Amino acid sequence: FGTLCDLADGLLRSSDGPGSELGITLYEILFEEFAEPMQRQEIVGSLVTHVGSGVGVKPQEVDAALRVFCNIIDKKMAERNEGSSARSSNM
């Protein structure tokens, strides 16, 4: 887990577009696959660090970290909506 987080961290800090995109995708996969609260807390903490460390210096790093947060939230909201519509149709 730690090695994968380090890899995602380095890729997200990358100044080239494809590397950063890969970092975004890897963070999203890590968040999905590692569901233990402590693991997810570490992932969120790393993303918060990216947001804080890039302000004014590396805006692309901030944007990439915020995109990860948005993508995770969008996916969780879609899952929640699917679950509630399935429950409604069963009634």
Side-chain angles (χ1 to χ4, degrees):
F1 174 76
T3 304
L4 291 171
C5 287
D6 290 343
L7 179 60
D9 179 66
L11 288 168
L12 201 70
R13 289 182 197 278
S14 173
S15 59
D16 76 80
S20 183
E21 289 296 320
L22 185 56
I24 290 169
T25 302
L26 185 52
Y27 267 119
E28 291 171 13
I29 291 169
L30 288 171
F31 192 85
E32 175 131 351
E33 293 300 318
F34 294 96
E36 291 295 319
M38 291 299 289
Q39 293 167 319
R40 285 192 168 173
Q41 184 176 356
E42 187 173 333
I43 292 166
V44 169
S46 293
L47 291 168
V48 168
T49 300
H50 284 290
V51 171
S53 67
V55 172
V57 180
K58 293 182 80 177
Q60 68 274 13
E61 182 179 340
V62 175
D63 291 345
L66 292 174
R67 277 186 49 207
V68 174
F69 280 128
C70 288
N71 293 345
I72 290 170
I73 291 167
D74 288 346
K75 184 168 186 169
K76 292 297 175 188
M77 292 301 293
E79 289 172 2
R80 189 169 291 209
N81 289 340
E82 287 174 9
S84 66
S85 64
R87 283 190 297 271
S88 296
S89 64
N90 288 336
M91 291 184 172

